């Protein structure tokens, strides 16, 4: 394995060495008092990173899709109506999962590269009785970032639970769960949470927990049943061990370290850093004449960017960029998969990583025959990065 490539995809991401070191400590018994201390701290800090002091955190072995599954299986019952604000691949996936558990799903979409307007969502919410409104904060297939604050307000106004897929957003893109009234939000460890893949994190508001308690039908999942996990999470948070299914002990060590690092930076500073890095990167791509999947700069995510290949240059660009030391991701949205690429810029990224990435893309473009003023993208990005 080449040790010096830079992993700039939308998860898994380049990690802080301290997180990896923490994971290499001896595996404790999951029911030891020492591990209960560690897991208890993690749960407390998950609330802080999600900015939801009164929310109920859940941390389980699994990926982001498990978190989606948990949100759906616990909060819809057969025949419930769910509205999905669809901005790409993960909106499609959420609709499919909700349908699997018996929800009647309506989807609101816009043209590829655009976000459905709030007015359209409100028109639908006011025309029927929806149990739940699901939105992908940052859809990793399009790089679009939704107005979660506005959507959560609408959901509350029309009595629907707001469910936010923050898998490519949480801890990078600004999200204030409690202040914005988001009921359920979730992410996975390998995205902006900055830990290796393997953990699903979900925080449910007290209102969501009440709705769960009032549920009539049995939850169709066993491992995903939040009623099984609730006492476990509560007991661990009191620094006592409990058992339902074995937690991935060493990943929890890694998560403890990454949460500590984020909170030491402060969530406001962390959101601001992501925003400046995202805007600097997007400005540099624009300066180099590249077109991004989102039509409007205001709709672009802080955590990742989706960019069309220039004409006559296709996926071979990624191999050239990799030869320059930076790993990028190909397309994911089925309608345009071979026409664009994706760059992740979340987690412990700073000017060094983003400038290296821009330089590697510039060089890759030049060696593909693209006409470009050398250093232009770097200069444009650097101007913005000086604000950090
Ligand atoms: C990555 C991602 C997922 C799925 O997460 P996995 O860990 O791959 O299961 C879901 N939603 C969004 C927005 C994502 O970026």
């Amino acid at each position: 394995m080449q040790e010096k490539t830079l992993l700039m995809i939308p998860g898994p991401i380049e990690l802080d060495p301290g997180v990896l070191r923490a994971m290499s400590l001896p595996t404790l018994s999951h029911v030891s008092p020492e591990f209960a201390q560690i897991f208890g701290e993690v749960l407390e800090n998950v609330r802080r990173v999600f900015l939801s002091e009164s929310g109920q955190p859940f941390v389980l072995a699994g990926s982001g899709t498990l978190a989606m599954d948990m949100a759906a299986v616990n909060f819809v019952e057969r025949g419930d109506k769910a509205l999905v604000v669809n901005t790409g691949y993960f909106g499609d996936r959420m609709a499919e999962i909700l349908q699997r558990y018996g929800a009647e799903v309506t989807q609101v979409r816009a043209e590829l590269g655009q976000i459905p307007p709030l007015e359209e969502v409100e028109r639908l919410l006011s025309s029927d009785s929806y149990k739940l409104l699901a939105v992908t904060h940052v859809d990793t297939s399009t790089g679009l970032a939704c107005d979660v604050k506005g959507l959560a307000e609408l959901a509350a106004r029309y009595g629907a639970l707001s469910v936010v897929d923050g898998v490519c957003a949480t801890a990078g893109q600004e999200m204030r769960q409690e202040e914005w009234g988001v009921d359920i939000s979730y992410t996975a460890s390998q995205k902006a949470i900055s830990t290796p893949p393997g953990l699903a994190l979900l925080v449910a508001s007290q209102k969501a927990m009440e709705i769960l308690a009032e549920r009539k039908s049995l939850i169709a999942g066993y491992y995903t049943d939040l009623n099984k996990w609730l006492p476990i999470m509560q007991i661990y948070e009191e620094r006592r061990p409990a058992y339902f299914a074995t937690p991935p002990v060493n990943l929890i060590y890694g998560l403890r370290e990454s949460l500590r690092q984020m909170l030491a930076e402060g969530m406001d500073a962390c959101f601001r850093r992501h925003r400046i890095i995202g805007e600097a990167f997007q400005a540099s791509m624009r300066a180099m004449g590249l077109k991004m999947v989102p039509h409007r700069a205001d709709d672009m995510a802080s955590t990742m960017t989706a960019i069309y290949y220039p004409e006559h240059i296709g996926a071979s660009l990624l191999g050239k960029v990799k030869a320059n030391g930076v790993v990028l991701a190909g397309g994911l949205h089925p309608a345009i998969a071979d026409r664009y690429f994706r760059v992740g810029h979340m987690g412990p990224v700073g000017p060094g990583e983003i400038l290296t990435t821009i330089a590697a893309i510039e060089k890759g473009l030049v060696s593909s025959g693209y006409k470009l003023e050398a250093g232009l993208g770097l200069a444009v990005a650097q101007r913005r990065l000086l604000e950090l």
Side-chain angles (χ1 to χ4, degrees):
M1 190 165 61
Q2 215 179 321
E3 289 214 335
K4 285 193 94 177
T5 51
L6 196 56
L7 184 60
M8 298 295 281
I9 67 173
I13 64 165
E14 200 66 36
L15 298 169
D16 181 88
V19 170
L20 296 171
R21 265 198 310 273
M23 289 182 51
S24 70
L25 294 175
T27 305
L28 288 165
S29 158
H30 57 299
V31 290
S32 62
E34 295 81 6
F35 181 67
Q37 283 295 334
I38 294 170
F39 202 1
E41 178 193 322
V42 161
L43 291 165
E44 248 172 45
N45 283 343
V46 165
R47 297 170 189 277
R48 297 193 179 117
V49 166
F50 280 63
L51 296 168
S52 177
E53 283 295 329
S54 72
Q56 176 58 51
F58 297 88
V59 177
L60 271 69
S63 81
T65 306
L66 180 87
M68 300 172 85
D69 213 41
M70 287 196 287
V73 77
N74 285 280
F75 296 101
V76 296
E77 294 186 70
R78 203 149 283 283
D80 280 344
K81 294 194 167 109
L83 185 60
V84 173
V85 180
N86 189 321
T87 50
Y89 181 92
F90 288 104
D92 293 345
R93 176 172 294 187
M94 192 55 176
E96 190 185 346
I97 296 173
L98 287 162
Q99 272 158 357
R100 176 73 62 96
Y101 296 121
E104 280 178 32
V105 176
T106 304
Q107 298 199 58
V108 48
R109 300 168 187 269
E111 194 189 319
L112 179 62
Q114 295 187 336
I115 291 172
L118 287 184
E119 297 73 43
E120 174 76 1
V121 177
E122 177 158 23
R123 192 182 58 74
L124 285 159
L125 282 173
S126 64
S127 70
D128 208 335
S129 157
Y130 286 99
K131 167 86 169 280
L132 174 158
L133 173 78
V135 52
T136 313
H137 195 166
V138 171
D139 199 294
T140 320
S141 70
T142 54
L144 286 163
C146 281
D147 175 4
V148 164
K149 184 167 183 259
L151 289 165
E153 259 167 38
L154 281 181
R157 192 177 315 151
Y158 292 96
L161 282 171
S162 48
V163 175
V164 177
D165 176 343
V167 184
C168 197
T170 308
Q173 195 82 23
E174 180 180 11
M175 215 287 274
R176 302 173 187 280
Q177 180 160 0
E178 188 141 338
E179 189 184 317
W180 293 0
V182 169
D183 290 302
I184 294 134
S185 80
Y186 52 80
T187 188
S189 49
Q190 80 275 21
K191 309 276 174 113
I193 290 287
S194 311
T195 307
L199 292 170
L201 289 72
L202 181 145
V203 176
S205 68
Q206 286 308 321
K207 185 174 110 201
M209 293 310 291
E210 281 160 27
I211 287 179
L212 180 69
E214 288 161 10
R215 199 189 147 103
K216 310 250 176 356
S217 56
L218 192 68
I219 289 162
Y222 186 78
Y223 181 75
T224 46
D225 183 342
L226 291 183
N227 293 310
K228 297 274 188 205
W229 288 105
L230 176 62
I232 307 298
M233 297 298 147
Q234 287 171 332
I235 294 169
Y236 268 119
E237 203 170 348
E238 291 164 9
R239 308 297 196 264
R240 289 183 293 126
Y243 173 73
F244 170 54
T246 310
V249 171
N250 293 58
L251 273 172
I252 300 290
Y253 302 164
L255 180 60
R256 175 169 72 159
E257 179 57 28
S258 66
L259 295 173
R260 278 182 174 178
Q261 289 181 7
M262 278 179 238
L263 292 167
E265 180 180 12
M267 294 320 292
D268 286 341
C270 189
F271 297 148
R272 179 174 180 272
R273 174 172 56 81
H274 280 86
R275 199 179 67 246
I276 290 174
I277 286 175
E279 287 175 6
F281 181 73
Q282 287 146 9
S284 79
M285 294 299 110
R286 219 174 279 121
M288 284 153 66
L290 302 188
K291 194 172 155 248
M292 275 153 290
V293 174
H295 296 185
R296 286 166 14 104
D298 283 354
D299 294 341
M300 291 180 195
S302 300
T303 48
M304 64 155 295
T305 305
I307 310 146
Y308 286 107
Y309 296 116
E311 248 180 272
H312 312 302
I313 296 176
S316 65
L317 177 68
L318 298 189
K320 296 196 167 86
V321 175
K322 187 173 180 186
N324 301 329
V326 179
V327 179
L328 306 179
L332 179 63
H333 195 294
I336 49 170
D338 55 358
R339 290 173 45 206
Y340 78 112
F341 64 103
R342 298 173 302 142
V343 179
H345 32 80
M346 65 188 108
V349 288
E353 288 79 13
I354 207 70
L355 291 170
T356 301
T357 304
I358 295 165
I361 294 173
E362 271 198 5
K363 189 150 183 263
L365 286 168
V366 169
S367 59
S368 305
Y370 187 73
K371 292 276 171 289
L372 181 72
E373 183 192 327
L376 177 66
L378 287 165
V380 166
Q382 176 68 342
R383 250 173 256 145
R384 188 73 215 275
L385 292 170
L386 290 174
E387 287 172 42
L388 275 179

